[in-house]
């Protein structure tokens, strides 16, 4: 996978947010963003087509009610 | 009677009901104590002395009539400065909200009011609840009462300090990535991050909608159980708030934990632990074993992945909440807040949604893998001793994320999973600052966490120790 570069961060900051970032800060942000993107990409490989975020609270309820004891 | 300020929340509530103590006496004692500690700890943003005394007098008058008294009648409490009261200034620890008067009152505030509590004032906090240290560039840093060179922990910094220093009998904080548990641990008090959706978030300053939880900080586990019963439960104003029945948490405090299985994780949670923290954890497990619990070592599904995914959620939601102000007035934000939020502006929407979408499945995997083998998971809240303010003060934006990762690595997985986690004081590190363990459980297992934490506190006295400030 192509690594996220500081250039992308600089472009986004300038064109989407009208903000001028320094090169060093853009490099730090690129690393932070890369880390999170990698984690999300990895879990999305295992996602089921029918998964959806709104299942979360129902999941908590279901798992809280499980009666089985270790 | 014990010295007024040494009483627990339950003791002072009982004493006021029985007319052995007046609310006015308790409130005056707290206000005097606040005056004593405030110059050294900076734990309050605003003290409402006259109003508190008025409320205390009214509470005492009510006792003379045959009015039905609430469970917190006349008990003086103080809360993190992010709980909205209609028309009253709530700063969120920020310059931007310095004069903000919300037009709603938080559901939990209404519940505390109905219970009869007295409001002492608004407690210091990290700006917009966004740092785990207690630094605050606008109102001054909060300082640890055990050693004022050290952090108080955050973001519910003032809550941890005020409860530890006996300036109030309990406090509501909030926990999105450790912000109740860290200040509880750093100050030697109890703190609960509840199941996501257990307590209403209506009328509370947002940090990250999908992760925010309201959490009490108290001196004892039993006090925490009492507060939880009052504030937990369904709320039509918060659609994420669960209608799951609220148990009588105090009834769970049987003192018996025989046969319960307590998990000790073999991966992640001890990876950066210092020897003194390991010793405190080991000693606490020995205590639980002596009470009849079984200690089970086990590997848990990768918490580091959960940490990174929780960043996707917090950073993007925080960027959405603060985007406009960060464009228009970035100079009014601290370096720490800007640095924590900035990545959120660059994360693709699909990444954010992938993280949210993974939550049900990853939570189910973790919960089924761990809690099919043990009843609770026991781990250090902070794997290292409480650091100093100086060593956690960032000099540049790039210092922030590594510092956050170090301090919150053991806490944020529970926020992503949505499970409850209770921080319980368990000794002191070599530098004389408190150490704590956390107990994590299945969703809605707060009663079990209280049962174990309370049993531990019946045979130990870490929670009874107060800083000498």
């Amino acid at each position: 996978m192509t690594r996220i570069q500081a250039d992308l961060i600089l472009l986004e900051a300038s064109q989407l947010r009208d903000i001028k970032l320094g090169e060093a800060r853009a490099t730090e942000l690129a690393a932070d963003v890369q880390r999170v993107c990698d984690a999300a990409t990895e879990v999305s490989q295992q996602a089921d087509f029918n998964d959806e975020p709104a299942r979360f609270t129902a999941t908590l309820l279901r798992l809280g009610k499980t009666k089985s004891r270790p | 009677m014990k010295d007024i300020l040494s009483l627990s929340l339950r003791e002072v509530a009982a004493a006021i009901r029985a007319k052995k103590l007046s609310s006015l006496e308790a409130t005056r004692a707290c206000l005097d104590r606040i005056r004593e500690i405030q110059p050294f700890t900076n734990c309050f943003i605003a003290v409402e002395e006259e109003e508190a005394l008025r409320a205390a007098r009214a509470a005492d008058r009510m006792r003379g009539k045959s009015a039905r008294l609430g469970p917190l009648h006349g008990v003086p409490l103080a809360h993190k400065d992010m709980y909205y009261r209609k028309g009253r200034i709530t700063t969120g620890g920020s310059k931007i909200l310095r004069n903000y008067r919300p037009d709603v009152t938080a559901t939990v505030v209404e519940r505390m009011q109905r219970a009869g509590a007295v409001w002492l004032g608004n407690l210091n906090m990290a700006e917009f609840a966004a740092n785990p240290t207690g630094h605050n560039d606008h109102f001054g840093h909060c300082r640890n009462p055990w050693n004022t060179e050290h952090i108080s922990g955050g973001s519910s910094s003032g809550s941890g300090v005020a409860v530890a220093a006996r300036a109030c009998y309990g406090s509501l904080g909030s926990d999105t990535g450790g912000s109740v548990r860290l200040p509880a641990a750093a100050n030697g008090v109890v703190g609960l991050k509840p199941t996501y959706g257990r307590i209403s978030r209506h009328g509370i300053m947002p940090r990250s909608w999908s992760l925010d939880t309201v959490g009490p900080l108290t001196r004892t586990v039993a006090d925490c159980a009492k507060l939880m019963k009052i504030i937990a439960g369904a709320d039509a104003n918060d659609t994420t708030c669960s209608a799951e029945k609220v148990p009588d948490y105090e009834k769970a405090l049987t003192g018996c934990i025989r046969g319960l299985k307590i998990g000790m994780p073999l991966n992640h949670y001890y990876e950066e632990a210092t020897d003194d923290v390991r010793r405190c954890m080991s000693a606490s497990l020995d205590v639980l074993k002596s009470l009849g619990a079984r200690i089970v070592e086990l590997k848990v599904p990768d918490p580091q992945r959960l940490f990174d995914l929780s960043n996707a959620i917090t950073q993007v939601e925080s960027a959405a909440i603060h985007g406009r102000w960060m464009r228009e007035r970035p100079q009014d934000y601290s370096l720490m807040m800007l640095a924590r939020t900035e990545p959120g502006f660059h994360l693709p929407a699909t990444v954010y949604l992938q993280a949210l979408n993974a939550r049900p499945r990853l939570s189910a995997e973790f919960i089924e893998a761990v809690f099919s083998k043990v009843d609770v998971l026991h781990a250090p809240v902070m794997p290292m001793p409480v650091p100093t303010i100086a060593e956690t003060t960032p000099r540049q934006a790039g210092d922030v994320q590594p510092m956050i990762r170090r301090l919150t690595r053991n806490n944020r997985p529970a926020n992503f999973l949505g499970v409850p986690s209770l921080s319980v004081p368990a000794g002191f590190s070599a530098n004389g600052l408190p150490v704590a363990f956390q107990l994590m459980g299945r969703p809605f297992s707060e009663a079990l966490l209280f049962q174990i934490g309370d049993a531990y506190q019946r045979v130990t006295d870490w929670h009874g120790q107060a800083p000498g400030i």
Side-chain angles (χ1 to χ4, degrees):
Chain A
M1 183 185 163
T2 311
R3 307 308 284 171
I4 296 169
Q5 306 290 330
D7 289 347
L8 171 65
I9 305 294
L10 286 168
L11 269 174
E12 284 181 343
S14 148
Q15 293 182 14
L16 293 179
R17 298 175 61 209
D18 197 23
I19 281 175
K20 217 173 178 158
L21 280 180
E23 184 80 32
R25 181 60 186 144
T27 304
E28 287 163 354
L29 283 170
D32 289 338
V33 170
Q34 183 73 64
R35 189 184 178 117
V36 173
C37 286
D38 286 347
T41 301
E42 195 220 323
V43 292
S44 70
Q45 315 279 32
Q46 296 137 32
D48 183 272
F49 176 73
N50 293 303
D51 283 348
E52 64 169 88
R55 285 191 175 174
F56 183 61
T57 46
T59 300
L60 291 181
L61 212 51
R62 175 174 63 82
L63 292 167
K65 285 186 190 311
T66 303
K67 297 286 182 230
S68 62
R69 288 289 307 278
Chain B
M1 190 188 293
K2 274 156 79 173
D3 161 46
I4 290 174
L5 294 177
S6 299
L7 296 171
S8 69
L9 180 149
R10 295 203 320 163
E11 286 171 335
V12 83
I16 290 171
R17 285 182 97 81
K19 296 186 184 171
K20 290 183 179 160
L21 179 67
S22 69
S23 173
L24 189 61
E25 284 171 301
T27 301
R28 275 199 175 126
C30 287
L31 290 168
D32 288 343
R33 183 62 177 152
I34 291 167
R35 263 190 289 276
E36 247 182 349
I37 64 163
Q38 179 66 9
F40 304 102
T41 64
N42 197 35
C43 59
F44 274 83
I45 283 178
V47 181
E48 297 178 3
E49 177 157 352
E50 287 314 310
E51 297 194 33
L53 291 170
R54 223 174 1 251
R57 288 190 188 98
D60 288 334
R61 281 196 300 273
M62 267 185 77
R63 292 184 309 172
K65 307 173 181 171
S66 51
R68 200 162 160 267
L69 303 179
L72 294 177
H73 188 81
V75 176
L77 305 174
H79 309 292
K80 189 176 185 181
D81 196 12
M82 59 182 281
Y83 286 90
Y84 297 160
R85 292 174 294 162
K86 187 171 178 173
R88 311 298 300 266
I89 290 177
T90 311
T91 70
S94 72
K95 183 175 179 182
I96 290 173
L97 295 181
R98 199 181 268 270
N99 296 306
Y100 175 60
R101 292 178 189 270
D103 58 6
V104 296
T105 297
T107 297
V108 292
V109 171
E110 286 177 343
R111 289 177 181 177
M112 300 284 254
Q113 285 169 344
R114 275 202 296 275
V118 169
W119 189 291
L120 286 167
N122 296 1
L123 289 163
N124 202 350
M125 57 181 282
E127 182 192 21
F128 289 117
N131 81 52
T133 60
H135 285 71
N136 189 305
D137 291 347
H138 310 297
F139 292 97
H141 305 331
C142 198
R143 292 174 174 273
N144 195 303
W146 295 90
N147 182 328
T148 55
E149 296 303 308
H150 289 251
I151 65 169
S152 57
S155 59
S156 313
S157 41
S159 296
V161 171
V163 172
R166 286 21 183 181
C168 65
Y169 292 95
S171 178
L172 292 187
S174 72
D175 195 310
T176 302
S179 289
V180 161
R181 289 163 288 161
L182 284 164
N187 290 283
V189 302
V190 172
L192 175 74
K193 175 230 164 290
T195 305
Y196 181 79
R198 177 72 286 188
I199 303 176
S200 171
R201 294 179 296 114
H202 172 70
I204 291 157
M205 184 209 79
R207 162 86 183 112
S208 173
W209 311 293
S210 303
L211 296 169
D212 287 344
T213 59
V214 170
L217 292 94
T218 53
R219 297 176 206 177
T220 71
V221 172
D223 287 351
C224 199
K226 187 176 183 73
L227 275 187
M228 267 297 282
K229 174 72 180 163
I230 293 162
I231 59 178
D235 180 18
N237 285 316
D238 177 0
T239 52
T240 66
C241 189
S242 175
E244 183 74 353
K245 187 170 179 280
V246 179
D248 186 338
Y249 294 114
E250 289 182 278
K251 273 216 171 89
L253 307 178
T254 59
C256 178
I257 61 168
R258 187 160 295 283
L260 288 177
K261 291 189 185 179
I262 298 182
M264 195 202 126
L266 292 169
N267 56 316
H268 184 83
Y269 290 93
Y270 282 88
E271 271 158 28
E272 296 187 9
T274 56
D275 287 344
D276 46 1
V277 170
R278 284 177 188 272
R279 265 196 300 276
C280 289
M281 294 303 104
S282 178
S284 68
L285 286 168
D286 286 343
V287 169
L288 295 171
K289 213 164 30 175
S290 76
L291 294 173
R294 268 187 56 195
I295 312 303
V296 178
E297 294 182 348
L298 75 169
K299 204 156 178 279
V300 302
D302 184 17
Q304 184 57 50
R305 171 168 71 162
L306 308 180
F307 183 101
D308 293 329
L309 291 169
S310 78
N311 263 343
I313 298 171
T314 316
Q315 288 168 354
V316 170
E317 291 185 354
S318 185
I321 292 166
H322 292 278
R324 180 169 61 94
W325 286 332
M326 284 190 171
R327 257 192 323 275
E328 293 171 2
R329 43 191 307 196
Q331 70 282 1
D332 291 338
Y333 283 94
S334 65
L335 171 66
M336 199 138 22
M337 179 67 192
L338 284 169
R340 284 207 78 181
T341 309
E342 250 181 323
F345 292 111
H346 300 279
L347 285 167
T350 46
V351 163
Y352 165 70
L353 288 167
Q354 281 164 347
L356 281 181
N357 203 31
R359 261 181 119 187
R361 182 169 45 84
L362 293 181
S363 295
E365 276 171 18
F366 189 100
I367 290 163
E368 281 160 0
V370 173
F371 300 115
S372 61
K373 300 193 180 89
V374 298
D375 292 291
V376 299
L377 194 65
H378 172 293
V381 172
M382 258 196 296
M384 77 290 276
V386 179
T388 63
I389 292 173
E391 64 192 335
T392 51
T393 300
R395 279 181 288 277
Q396 57 197 359
D399 294 340
V400 172
Q401 293 293 354
M403 184 266 291
I404 302 290
R405 260 199 297 281
R406 210 165 55 97
L407 282 174
T408 64
R409 69 188 313 276
N410 281 10
N411 297 289
R412 297 182 72 192
N415 294 93
F416 181 86
L417 296 167
V419 298
S421 179
L422 180 71
S423 175
V424 179
F428 293 86
S429 57
N431 64 359
L433 277 294
V435 172
F437 62 81
Q438 60 182 316
L439 297 170
M440 288 164 274
R442 284 182 177 275
F444 303 103
S445 67
E446 286 84 356
L448 179 62
L449 305 187
F450 290 146
Q451 181 184 343
I452 299 170
D454 174 66
Y456 176 81
Q457 289 193 329
R458 288 179 189 222
V459 298
T460 59
D461 191 41
W462 303 118
H463 60 285
Q465 297 187 36
I469 193 166

